[in-house]
Short mmCIF file of all heavy atoms in Angstrom, two decimals:
data_model
loop_
_atom_site.label_atom_id
_atom_site.label_comp_id
_atom_site.label_asym_id
_atom_site.label_seq_id
_atom_site.Cartn_x
_atom_site.Cartn_y
_atom_site.Cartn_z
N LEU A 7 46.09 81.99 59.26
CA LEU A 7 44.84 82.46 59.83
C LEU A 7 44.08 83.26 58.79
O LEU A 7 44.67 84.06 58.08
CB LEU A 7 45.11 83.38 61.03
CG LEU A 7 45.71 82.72 62.27
CD1 LEU A 7 46.03 83.77 63.30
CD2 LEU A 7 44.74 81.71 62.84
N ALA A 14 35.56 95.33 58.81
CA ALA A 14 36.99 95.41 59.13
C ALA A 14 37.79 94.42 58.33
O ALA A 14 37.32 93.37 57.93
CB ALA A 14 37.19 95.13 60.63
N ASP A 31 38.69 80.28 84.68
CA ASP A 31 38.31 81.07 85.84
C ASP A 31 39.22 82.27 86.05
O ASP A 31 39.02 83.05 86.98
CB ASP A 31 38.33 80.20 87.10
CG ASP A 31 37.27 79.09 87.03
OD1 ASP A 31 36.22 79.34 86.40
OD2 ASP A 31 37.51 78.02 87.60
N THR A 37 44.10 96.52 79.40
CA THR A 37 44.52 97.92 79.51
C THR A 37 44.61 98.52 78.11
O THR A 37 45.30 97.98 77.25
CB THR A 37 45.87 98.05 80.22
OG1 THR A 37 45.78 97.46 81.52
CG2 THR A 37 46.26 99.52 80.37
N GLY A 55 34.70 113.41 72.25
CA GLY A 55 35.27 112.09 72.49
C GLY A 55 35.06 111.55 73.88
O GLY A 55 35.45 110.40 74.16
N THR A 106 24.66 101.49 89.29
CA THR A 106 25.71 100.89 90.12
C THR A 106 25.57 101.29 91.59
O THR A 106 26.15 100.63 92.46
CB THR A 106 27.10 101.28 89.61
OG1 THR A 106 27.21 102.71 89.56
CG2 THR A 106 27.35 100.71 88.23
N LEU A 135 21.57 118.31 69.79
CA LEU A 135 21.04 117.11 69.17
C LEU A 135 19.52 116.98 69.36
O LEU A 135 18.87 116.22 68.66
CB LEU A 135 21.71 115.86 69.75
CG LEU A 135 23.14 115.56 69.30
CD1 LEU A 135 23.77 114.51 70.20
CD2 LEU A 135 23.15 115.10 67.85
N SER A 171 22.98 109.35 77.57
CA SER A 171 23.22 108.40 78.66
C SER A 171 22.25 108.64 79.81
O SER A 171 21.93 109.78 80.16
CB SER A 171 24.66 108.56 79.17
OG SER A 171 25.59 108.20 78.17
N TYR A 230 47.02 109.37 77.12
CA TYR A 230 48.35 109.84 76.72
C TYR A 230 48.23 111.15 75.95
O TYR A 230 47.26 111.38 75.23
CB TYR A 230 49.06 108.80 75.84
CG TYR A 230 49.41 107.52 76.55
CD1 TYR A 230 48.48 106.48 76.67
CD2 TYR A 230 50.67 107.33 77.11
CE1 TYR A 230 48.80 105.30 77.32
CE2 TYR A 230 51.01 106.15 77.76
CZ TYR A 230 50.06 105.14 77.86
OH TYR A 230 50.39 103.97 78.51
N ASN A 286 35.96 131.62 61.36
CA ASN A 286 35.16 132.48 62.23
C ASN A 286 34.65 133.67 61.43
O ASN A 286 35.43 134.50 60.98
CB ASN A 286 36.01 132.95 63.41
CG ASN A 286 35.20 133.69 64.44
OD1 ASN A 286 34.11 134.19 64.18
ND2 ASN A 286 35.74 133.77 65.65
N VAL A 305 44.49 124.89 49.19
CA VAL A 305 44.87 123.71 49.98
C VAL A 305 44.94 122.46 49.10
O VAL A 305 44.02 122.15 48.36
CB VAL A 305 43.87 123.49 51.14
CG1 VAL A 305 44.11 122.16 51.81
CG2 VAL A 305 43.98 124.62 52.15
N ALA A 309 48.51 116.24 48.73
CA ALA A 309 49.85 116.38 49.30
C ALA A 309 49.81 116.24 50.82
O ALA A 309 50.70 115.64 51.43
CB ALA A 309 50.45 117.73 48.91
N ARG A 340 33.81 122.25 42.48
CA ARG A 340 33.77 123.72 42.41
C ARG A 340 35.16 124.34 42.22
O ARG A 340 35.33 125.27 41.45
CB ARG A 340 33.14 124.26 43.70
CG ARG A 340 32.82 125.74 43.68
CD ARG A 340 31.59 126.04 42.86
NE ARG A 340 30.42 125.32 43.39
CZ ARG A 340 29.61 125.83 44.32
NH1 ARG A 340 29.84 127.02 44.83
NH2 ARG A 340 28.57 125.12 44.73
N TYR A 447 26.16 129.65 62.64
CA TYR A 447 26.18 129.54 61.19
C TYR A 447 24.72 129.46 60.73
O TYR A 447 24.13 128.40 60.67
CB TYR A 447 26.96 128.30 60.76
CG TYR A 447 27.07 128.07 59.26
CD1 TYR A 447 26.59 129.00 58.33
CD2 TYR A 447 27.63 126.91 58.77
CE1 TYR A 447 26.69 128.79 56.97
CE2 TYR A 447 27.74 126.67 57.39
CZ TYR A 447 27.25 127.61 56.50
OH TYR A 447 27.35 127.39 55.15
N ARG A 466 16.16 106.21 54.94
CA ARG A 466 17.27 107.16 54.94
C ARG A 466 18.06 107.14 53.63
O ARG A 466 18.82 108.05 53.34
CB ARG A 466 18.20 106.88 56.12
CG ARG A 466 17.52 106.92 57.47
CD ARG A 466 16.72 108.19 57.66
NE ARG A 466 17.57 109.37 57.73
CZ ARG A 466 17.15 110.62 57.55
NH1 ARG A 466 15.89 110.84 57.23
NH2 ARG A 466 18.00 111.62 57.64
#
Side-chain angles (χ1 to χ4, degrees):
L7 293 174
D31 295 329
T37 302
T106 56
L135 285 167
S171 295
Y230 293 85
N286 187 340
V305 170
R340 190 76 59 90
Y447 181 6
R466 303 309 293 162

